[in-house]
Amino acid sequence: MKNFAYLNGPKVVVIGGGTGLSTMLRGLKKYTHNITAIVTVADDGGGSGVLREDLGMLPPGDIRNCILALANTEPTMEKLLQYRFTDGMLKGQSFGNLFLAAMNGISNSFEEAVKKMSEVLAVSGKVLPVTLDDVKLKAKLKNGIVIDGESLIPKLQMKEKSPIERIFLEPKDAKPVKEALIDIMDADEIILGPGSLYTSIIPNLLVNDVCEAIEDSKAIKVYVCNIMTQPGETIGYDANAHVDALFLHGLKSLDYVIVNNGEIPYEYKDRYKEDMSQPVKYDIYGLEQKGIKVIEKDVLAIRNNYIRHDEQKLAETLMELLI
């Protein structure tokens, strides 16, 4: 790896949200502590949606997962913060979400609350919301219908059986967190994904100045493509279609796309097929025509009977690009 002129490893910025992002962070923190996770705040479902509506705060769920992924804390503390209540008025709510909500209550801003929680949990690197504005995600389908709200997009897309044409934020002029832009500009590597294309990754690109900062940064730009297509978002998509969607929503260029070439066991292919999910195929020539290098790697893992990225293999692949 390059001999970087600062402590704690290369400066890596990851952009996204959801399970895929937090999984990747667990692998990356073994190689560098100079990590900034820039996380979407468009979530309006589940426990995060309840707190957003009740307390008027930004949704804490994706932020919480990223903080815990980068935390250096006791296993019991992580179990406590991931604990989800099963009964009563708090049923379905995560204690970690409540912890962040309480921290928000004693802080001057949500950004400050995230930093304080990160300090308490001795986080390697930092976690930043992409914006502090109260944004709502909407999707326009190719049949003209507009879906209002992040949590409804996959459900109603499946019901309408019409592909997503475009997504957008309201308000359209959401302001970015300045520190996020600074870290993007100062990065050695910017990583998009893995995660839900339309509800975890692209919402970050729709915030003012984010795409411009990514383009102006001298960092290498990498998209980690999902291993499987996602019902309600990317049915029938290959890796090229994922990239096209990123470009359609403002991204200007990519240097690399990482795709999985590991063999998926038949029993998992069949089970996922029942949910209309299939392995993401890729056309190397088509991506290279866009000026993108394709990295084919076996980054497959099976966790709790779900297909996931292997955090160690993925982190190794991402770090090798900096050599």
Side-chain angles (χ1 to χ4, degrees), residues 28 31 40 78 90 112 144 150 164 176 206 263 283 296 299:
L28 285 174
Y31 293 91
T40 177
E78 180 168 352
L90 293 176
E112 182 184 315
E150 182 265 354
I164 294 172
L206 301 177
E263 186 61 36
D283 169 18
E296 299 175 272
V299 289

Side-chain angles (χ1 to χ4, degrees), residues 40 173 204 237 249:
T40 177
D173 60 347
N204 296 286
Y237 276 39
H249 290 87

Side-chain angles (χ1 to χ4, degrees), residues 42 135-141 145-150 153 164-172 198 202-203 206-207 249:
V135 294
K136 176 172 280 192
L137 189 66
K138 297 189 175 187
K140 182 182 179 184
L141 305 184
I145 286 179
V146 174
I147 302 173
D148 191 351
E150 182 265 354
I153 290 172
I164 294 172
E165 182 176 285
R166 197 173 189 97
I167 64 164
F168 53 98
L169 291 179
E170 285 193 355
K172 293 182 179 179
Y198 287 108
I202 291 177
L206 301 177
V207 173
H249 290 87

